């Protein structure tokens, strides 16, 4: 128990409720401080009435709760708030004191890391693993311990340290088990327990057995032994995470065993090791992300149906320490998905929601995309009436709705060695929000609740950049506009993120969705698009919602929300839609064009909003972070245009229906590189062609400096412009460039995204490597020429797409 000064009472007493009851006067015993209101890991703050001199109490139900209570208190002070005023749900007790009780909504609020033993992180955009390198646990775990502190400060209670696509070797050698033990030791002071992902086939692949059949006695013994070794070294092990029978991973179905039999195998091994140190039995998180490759020619085939068809019939067959971990949507972390209908079917099974903090399909930390508004659409989703009342996903996953003992959430975070942990300063807001929302998924039903996405981003901003109202407003406004903007310039109307699903899930490639077995289909053809998921005529997915009224709503085009239209229905491009303003009408194809233009404009506005902060000198952001965020926002604005143009060109080409406003394919301010006079450059096709303006780029033919130049045409009259240059930045090279107007340098840059992004860029000229650099205030006089000089480096042949002279206010 420690004491410290506070603005309110001068003395703060910090400890567990039990210790407080034991050591302090009986007049303030643990009962009177309300310990009975606390659940494990919960805490309370108690402020004495102003006319007494009693200290402020910060008491946890256990030590972890004490830590969370202290962090929460400090986070209020750090925002300049008086905790007593900012505390929600306060009650006044008999002594006149004010009490605020905060309990986690569910027992599981975990983080998953997809770290590999070689030090890489699957879908990680923030550098290398904090835990592993060269096949083993790193010697220096100081940074891992700092990560533990971050996780505790946002209220996380466990971290699964290795990839769901698990390497069987991790739990096989004594050295690795000792290494895991050292990771657990580094996390323990912060109350964060560790869990481990297991590979189902380990008994065979590393254990020397003939089988990995979950019902085979030797397999049971193998896992019992692994579990015992882990508990010996890590007595407070949080549990295991298993991905079976999915995307090539081994699982119980190979032996005709059910997924429940597979899950229970590990759950039973864990159950043998409940110990005081663990303070709850080890939990087996079993992923519902199970699906098979499908035939697209089958109109009724649908990957989205997989989770319910595999897991719903097993409801009630999972042991009590199994939690089925369900991705928020039925496909895969897309920009918009309806909530997974599986949540409504797990009525006798513990369930947790899986969210992705790492922005795999959502800009990979190179785009500002603040995720809580997306998460809210799922947490607040009502599965329809079950047990006579509304079934909100947030109540199902906390276990309250179906009275389940376990439940909660898992967030795939993938922090790494980057200075910013996740790869960008702004993406930390998503981790902070994840912690807040995992602790309290209720989210607030009105604007005053401290758990709304706006309040969370405002709190994060104050904690990160200080309390300048201009900074708080700017960041909050940008953050709240960011997910809708990203949805607009990637895939609107519920068509999913139209990225390259066969490669790195970053840039645009709408054609890659269809024509393969992965099942992320849009079924776009020359007449229309969208997955028909109706029961009447389609895949039947709409009928998977347990609430008949929900199923009926999605069954009809007229009652399906517009932002999920193409998720549930296959419609012609000419399908009429209500327009953005009352009385206005539009069509699906025009909505696609308009949304992509609007999204790119919003992204462009982030750059100016951020710059305006600097101009007003209202900035509480140090120069380094200011510049780093400015760089990312500028990249995003450029890449949003790549997205806009690629998706619009794709649908323009496919549908043959022109943009009503004449924008698509018409770029009066551009000069295509392939149309310039080239020296040492040659034209090259880009794949997909829509990722390049005009379908082509130029690349240097040799190793020396190459040049592309053109007279500036009369359609670009003399004046002052922002010169934008679109080029491609490939992995494995840092080409250098210079832009000149009539021989005078107006800008230079290097293709060094690999140093700036914290993630690998693409090795091809495509939608992932396409990007833009801009130079403001470029003066053009009559008869001027524009030249770009490019010097190759490594694998990068100084590729160029086009230059654009943009008058003020034009986004193109
Ligand atoms: C996505 C992701 C994979 C990951 C998988 C999963 O498909 O692209 O890298 O392994 O999800 O969640 O298991």
């Amino acid at each position: 128990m420690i004491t410290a000064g506070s603005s309110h009472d001068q003395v703060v007493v910090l400890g567990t409720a039990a210790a407080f009851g034991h050591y302090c006067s009986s007049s303030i015993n643990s009962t009177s401080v309300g310990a009975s209101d606390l659940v494990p890991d919960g805490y309370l703050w108690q402020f004495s009435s102003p006319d007494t001199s009693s200290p402020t109490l910060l008491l946890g139900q256990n030590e972890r709760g004490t830590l969370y209570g202290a962090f929460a208190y400090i986070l209020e002070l750090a925002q300049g708030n008086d905790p007593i005023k900012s505390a929600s749900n306060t009650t006044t007790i008999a002594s006149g004191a004010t009490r605020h009780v905060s309990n986690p909504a569910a027992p599981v609020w975990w983080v998953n890391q997809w770290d590999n033993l070689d030090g890489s992180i699957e879908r990680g955009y923030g550098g290398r693993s904090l835990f592993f390198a060269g096949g083993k646990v790193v010697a220096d775990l100081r940074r891992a311990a700092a990560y533990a502190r971050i996780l505790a400060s946002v209220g996380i209670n466990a971290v699964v340290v290795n990839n769901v696509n698990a390497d069987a070797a991790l739990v096989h050698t004594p050295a690795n088990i000792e290494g895991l033990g050292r990771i657990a030791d580094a996390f323990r002071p912060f109350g964060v327990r560790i869990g481990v992902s297991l590979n189902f086939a380990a008994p065979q692949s590393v254990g020397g057995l003939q089988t990995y059949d979950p019902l085979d006695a030797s397999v049971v013994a193998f896992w019992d032994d692994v579990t015992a070794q882990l508990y010996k070294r890590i007595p407070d092990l949080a549990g295991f995470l298993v991905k079976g029978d999915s995307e090539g991973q081994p699982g119980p179905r190979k032996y005709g065993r059910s997924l429940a039999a597979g899950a229970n195998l590990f759950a039973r091994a864990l159950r043998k090791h409940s110990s005081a140190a663990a303070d709850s039995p080890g939990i087996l998180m079993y992923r519902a992300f199970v699906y098979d490759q499908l035939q697209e020619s089958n109109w009724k085939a649908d990957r989205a149906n997989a989770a319910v068809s595999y897991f719903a019939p097993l409801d009630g067959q999972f042991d009590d320490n199994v939690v089925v971990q369900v991705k928020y949507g039925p496909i895969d972390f897309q920009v918009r998905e309806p909530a997974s209908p599986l949540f409504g079917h797990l009525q006798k099974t513990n369930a947790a929601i899986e969210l992705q903090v790492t922005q795999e399909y959502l800009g990979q930390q190179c785009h500002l995309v603040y995720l809580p508004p997306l998460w809210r659409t799922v947490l607040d989703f009502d599965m329809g009436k079950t047990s006579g009342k509304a079934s909100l996903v947030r109540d199902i996953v906390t276990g309250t709705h179906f009275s389940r003992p376990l439940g909660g959430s898992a967030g795939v975070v993938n922090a790494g060695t980057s200075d910013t942990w996740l790869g960008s300063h702004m993406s930390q807001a998503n981790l902070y929000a994840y912690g807040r929302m995992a602790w309290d998924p209720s989210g607030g039903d009105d604007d005053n609740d401290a758990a709304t996405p706006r309040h969370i981003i405002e709190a994060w901003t104050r904690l990160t950049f200080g309390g300048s109202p201009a900074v708080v407003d700017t960041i909050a406004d940008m953050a709240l506009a960011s997910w809708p903007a990203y949805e607009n310039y990637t895939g609107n109307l519920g068509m999913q993120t139209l990225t390259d699903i066969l490669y790195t899930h970053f840039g645009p490639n709408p054609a890659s969705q269809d024509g393969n077995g992965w099942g992320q289909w849009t079924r776009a053809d020359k007449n229309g698009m969208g997955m028909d998921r109706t029961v009447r005529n389609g895949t039947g997915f709409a009928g998977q919602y347990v609430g008949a009224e929900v199923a009926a709503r999605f069954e009809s085009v007229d009652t399906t929300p517009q932002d999920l239209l193409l998720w549930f229905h296959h419609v012609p491009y000419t399908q009429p839609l209500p327009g953005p303003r009352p009385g206005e009408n539009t069509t699906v194809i025009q909505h696609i064009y308009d949304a992509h233009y609007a999204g790119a404009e919003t992204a462009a506005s982030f750059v100016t909003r951020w710059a305006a902060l600097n101009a007003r000198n209202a900035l509480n952001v140090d120069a380094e972070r200011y510049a780093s965020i400015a760089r990312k926002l500028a990249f995003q604005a450029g890449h949003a245009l790549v997205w806009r143009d690629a998706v619009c060109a794709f649908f323009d080409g496919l549908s043959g229906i022109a943009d009503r406003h004449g924008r698509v394919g018409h770029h009066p301010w551009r000069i295509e590189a392939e149309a310039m006079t080239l020296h040492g450059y040659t034209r090259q096709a880009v794949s997909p062609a829509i990722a390049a303006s005009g379908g082509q780029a130029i690349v240097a033919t040799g190793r020396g400096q190459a040049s592309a130049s053109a007279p500036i045409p009369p359609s670009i009259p003399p004046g002052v412009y922002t010169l934008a240059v679109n080029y491609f930045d490939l992995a494995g090279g840092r080409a250098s460039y210079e832009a000149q107007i009539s021989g005078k340098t107006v800008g230079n840059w290097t293709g060094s995204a690999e140093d700036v992004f914290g993630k690998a860029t693409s090795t091809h000229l495509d939608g992932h490597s396409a990007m833009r650099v801009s130079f403001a205030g470029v003066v053009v006089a009559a008869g001027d020429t524009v030249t770009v000089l490019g010097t190759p480096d490594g694998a990068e042949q100084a590729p160029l797409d086009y230059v654009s002279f943009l008058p003020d206010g034009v986004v193109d």
Side-chain angles (χ1 to χ4, degrees):
M1 193 174 298
I2 59 163
T3 63
S6 99
S7 59
H8 183 65
D9 282 311
Q10 301 310 314
V11 177
V12 174
V13 177
L14 182 70
T16 63
F20 183 77
H22 184 72
Y23 291 113
C24 296
S25 72
S26 56
S27 62
I28 320 176
N29 61 31
S30 61
T31 311
S32 75
V33 296
S36 57
D37 298 338
L38 297 177
V39 307
D41 300 349
Y43 63 85
L44 62 82
W45 300 339
Q46 187 165 303
F47 307 95
S48 61
S49 63
D51 50 347
T52 70
S53 57
S54 301
T56 292
L57 309 180
L58 263 65
L59 304 182
Q61 194 272 354
N62 53 17
E63 290 192 350
R64 200 180 293 118
T66 310
L67 187 65
Y68 294 140
F71 268 122
Y73 193 83
I74 292 166
L75 293 181
E76 289 303 326
L77 295 181
Q79 291 178 63
N81 297 336
D82 184 343
I84 190 169
K85 294 207 184 103
S86 49
S88 55
N89 306 325
T90 52
T91 49
T92 306
I93 57 171
S95 65
T98 306
R99 178 182 296 160
H100 159 68
V101 173
S102 186
N103 285 312
V108 175
W109 60 106
W110 290 17
V111 152
N112 291 178
Q113 285 279 139
W114 288 355
D115 295 32
N116 297 313
L117 286 184
D118 65 2
S120 61
I121 305 179
E122 182 154 345
R123 315 301 177 190
Y125 313 108
R128 306 287 292 174
S129 172
L130 298 166
F131 309 129
F132 309 112
K136 48 188 192 212
V137 175
V138 295
D140 183 352
L141 286 166
R142 278 176 300 179
R143 216 168 142 72
Y147 183 42
R149 183 170 181 276
I150 290 180
L151 292 179
S153 77
V154 300
I156 299 300
N157 65 352
V159 54
V160 175
V161 295
N162 63 310
N163 195 350
V164 281
N165 300 315
D167 188 330
L170 180 61
V171 292
H172 185 56
T173 67
N176 282 345
I177 291 193
E178 170 55 24
L180 288 169
R182 287 192 295 107
I183 298 175
D185 295 344
F187 275 75
R188 193 168 295 111
F190 299 96
V192 182
R193 295 158 68 189
I194 74 154
V196 182
S197 291
L198 300 178
N199 183 302
F200 215 95
Q204 191 180 66
S205 62
V206 296
L209 302 181
Q210 297 300 309
T211 177
Y212 56 88
D213 179 350
L215 299 190
D216 185 281
S218 64
V219 170
V220 174
F222 172 90
W223 287 117
D224 279 350
D225 179 51
V226 166
T227 310
Q229 287 183 51
L230 283 165
Y231 269 100
K232 192 159 170 236
R233 181 62 182 81
I234 311 169
D236 55 356
L237 185 76
F240 296 139
L241 172 63
V242 175
K243 169 179 178 178
D245 292 308
S246 173
E247 301 188 328
Q249 292 300 313
R253 287 171 63 219
K254 167 161 169 119
Y255 298 96
R257 309 302 185 196
S258 78
L259 300 170
N264 293 341
L265 164 73
F266 303 103
R268 287 169 195 170
L270 286 164
R271 200 163 257 300
K272 294 179 185 141
H273 296 274
S274 302
S275 76
D279 70 31
S280 63
I283 293 173
L284 187 265
M285 305 292 291
Y286 201 79
R287 295 183 88 227
F289 188 61
V290 178
Y291 68 95
D292 304 303
Q293 293 264 313
L294 297 167
Q295 285 294 329
E296 196 185 3
S297 55
N298 178 356
W299 184 253
K300 296 198 183 269
D302 191 356
R303 168 174 162 183
N305 284 341
V308 167
S309 52
Y310 283 122
F311 282 85
L314 301 176
D315 189 31
Q317 293 181 32
F318 292 92
D319 284 4
D320 262 359
N321 60 329
V322 175
V323 176
V324 174
Q325 181 170 318
V326 187
K327 285 193 183 184
Y328 62 79
I331 294 285
D332 195 6
F333 301 136
Q334 298 300 291
V335 71
R336 170 89 61 174
E337 298 191 52
S340 170
L342 182 58
F343 291 116
H345 290 269
L346 298 178
Q347 306 191 359
K348 290 175 275 176
T349 303
N350 305 315
I353 187 167
E354 183 174 312
L355 301 172
Q356 210 186 28
V357 174
T358 190
Q359 297 167 229
E360 174 181 355
Y361 285 95
L362 293 150
Q364 303 190 349
Q365 273 85 307
C366 299
H367 292 232
L368 164 63
V369 183
Y370 177 59
L371 297 168
L374 158 62
W375 296 339
R376 284 250 65 89
T377 65
V378 179
L379 290 168
D380 298 339
F381 190 99
D382 183 358
M383 290 283 152
K385 284 228 165 45
T386 48
S387 320
K389 49 184 190 242
S391 330
L392 302 182
V393 169
R394 65 189 196 221
D395 297 331
I396 295 173
V397 299
T398 54
T400 45
H401 186 73
F402 293 122
S403 305
R404 297 300 314 162
L406 289 178
S409 60
V412 181
V413 173
N414 295 351
T417 50
S418 139
D419 287 352
T420 59
W421 299 95
L422 288 173
S424 90
H425 291 290
M426 295 302 295
S427 55
Q428 280 288 79
N430 287 326
L431 175 55
Y432 173 74
Y434 170 69
R436 293 273 306 259
M437 291 170 76
W439 181 276
D440 173 14
S442 71
D445 295 321
D446 65 58
D447 234 26
N448 294 323
D449 192 305
T452 59
R454 173 167 278 277
H455 281 85
I456 292 176
I457 186 70
E458 286 177 354
W460 176 82
T461 307
R462 281 192 289 268
L463 292 166
T464 309
F465 296 115
S468 151
V471 177
V472 173
D473 290 349
T474 302
I475 290 186
D477 289 349
M478 290 194 318
L480 290 167
S482 63
W483 169 59
Y486 188 82
E487 177 177 31
N488 275 340
Y489 64 73
T490 60
N492 57 314
L493 294 174
M495 65 174 84
Q496 308 183 89
T497 321
L498 297 180
T499 189
D500 190 336
I501 66 149
L502 303 173
Y503 187 27
T504 177
H505 302 179
F506 182 56
N509 191 356
S512 72
Q513 311 285 311
D514 295 272
N516 57 61
W518 287 101
Q520 292 190 211
W521 307 321
T522 64
R523 294 201 185 277
D525 62 21
K526 64 183 179 15
N527 301 313
M529 70 176 301
M531 281 289 287
D532 185 340
R533 292 190 157 111
T534 61
V535 175
R536 186 175 26 87
N537 184 48
T539 72
F541 171 83
Q544 287 194 339
Y545 287 93
V546 286
E549 68 279 27
V550 181
R553 187 164 75 240
F554 291 141
E555 188 68 17
S556 154
V557 169
D558 296 335
T559 50
T560 300
Q562 199 176 79
D563 48 29
L564 285 170
L565 178 71
L566 301 176
W567 181 275
F568 283 102
H569 301 282
H570 186 86
V571 296
Y573 294 116
T574 50
Q575 171 84 18
L577 290 179
R581 277 167 292 274
E584 270 181 25
N585 285 325
T586 185
T587 57
V588 163
I589 190 72
Q590 193 57 40
H591 195 285
I592 295 173
Y593 298 144
D594 290 348
H596 283 77
Y597 272 78
E601 270 194 29
T602 306
S605 77
F606 295 162
V607 176
T608 39
R609 283 196 228 179
W610 190 245
L613 263 189
N614 200 19
R616 271 191 285 162
N617 205 15
L619 211 53
N620 279 345
V621 183
D622 53 278
E624 192 182 332
R625 286 188 299 171
Y626 178 81
S628 165
I629 292 171
R631 239 189 342 260
K632 282 273 162 80
L633 294 176
F635 168 77
Q636 177 173 11
H639 204 217
L641 284 174
V642 172
W643 266 100
R644 180 196 82 180
D645 292 349
V647 174
C648 289
F650 177 78
F651 286 108
D652 181 43
L654 199 58
S655 70
I657 303 174
D659 167 27
R660 204 185 267 171
H661 304 300
R663 298 157 300 186
V664 175
H666 299 113
H667 305 286
W669 309 104
R670 291 185 188 176
I671 303 173
E672 295 294 337
E674 60 271 25
M676 294 179 166
T677 304
L678 307 181
H679 292 287
Y681 264 123
T682 185
R683 293 170 185 88
Q684 186 167 306
V686 172
S687 177
I690 51 167
S693 187
Q696 271 197 334
I698 59 170
V699 290
T701 50
R703 304 304 290 162
Q705 190 180 70
S707 81
S709 41
I712 299 173
S715 55
I716 301 173
V720 182
Y721 296 89
T722 292
L723 172 65
V725 185
N726 275 55
Y727 65 108
F728 296 85
D729 193 332
L730 306 186
R734 292 165 185 80
S736 47
Y737 300 84
E738 183 175 323
Q740 299 177 340
I741 301 294
S742 296
K744 198 169 141 257
T745 304
V746 292
N748 38 46
W749 71 101
T750 313
S752 55
E754 50 271 77
D755 305 326
V756 180
F757 282 173
K759 77 180 197 81
T761 49
S762 165
T763 49
H764 303 97
L765 304 191
D766 54 25
H768 316 295
S769 57
M771 60 190 79
R772 158 176 287 207
V773 62
S774 299
F775 305 99
V778 171
V779 179
V780 171
D784 267 345
T785 328
V786 60
T787 302
V788 179
L789 303 171
T791 308
D793 177 68
E796 208 165 72
Q797 289 300 109
L800 267 184
D801 186 1
Y802 65 92
V803 300
S804 194
F805 288 89
L806 300 169
D808 243 13
V810 173
V811 177
D812 195 35

